[in-house]
Amino acid sequence: MADTQTILDKVTVIIRDLFDEYEGPVTMETTADDVPQWDSLSHVRLMVMIEMELGVHFSTSEMQSFRNLGDLVEAAAKQSG
């Protein structure tokens, strides 16, 4: 299983790249509500970028169940282990 901090670090880089105007913290508790630019279209782009970077795949139902980045990071860690 990949280290969750390592995965969060990679996700943070992607978020900083995609939401270049967002300068707030990126933590396991971060949600779309925390990032003003994070709308439905950018959410799809974010998921695709994360899947490509981490070499994982999330089902639609799995994506809909993520309450925050922590849920996403934990799911990615399970797949990469």
Side-chain angles (χ1 to χ4, degrees):
M1 178 180 287
D3 176 75
T4 55
Q5 185 59 51
T6 301
I7 293 172
L8 181 61
D9 291 345
K10 290 179 180 180
V11 170
T12 298
V13 170
I14 293 168
I15 287 176
R16 297 278 185 223
D17 181 48
L18 183 61
F19 306 116
D20 58 350
E21 294 178 14
Y22 179 67
E23 297 179 0
V26 177
T27 69
M28 297 287 270
E29 291 76 33
T30 298
T31 69
D33 292 337
D34 298 322
V35 183
Q37 296 170 285
W38 193 335
D39 58 18
S40 59
L41 179 58
S42 62
H43 183 78
V44 172
R45 292 178 61 204
L46 177 64
M47 290 298 113
V48 169
M49 292 171 76
I50 289 171
E51 287 180 333
M52 291 178 65
E53 175 65 26
L54 300 178
V56 297
H57 176 73
F58 302 119
S59 68
T60 301
S61 62
E62 198 172 21
M63 283 187 226
Q64 291 172 340
S65 72
F66 296 151
R67 294 166 295 155
N68 54 35
L69 283 182
D71 288 348
L72 183 151
V73 167
E74 294 290 340
K78 287 179 185 173
Q79 286 190 32
S80 62

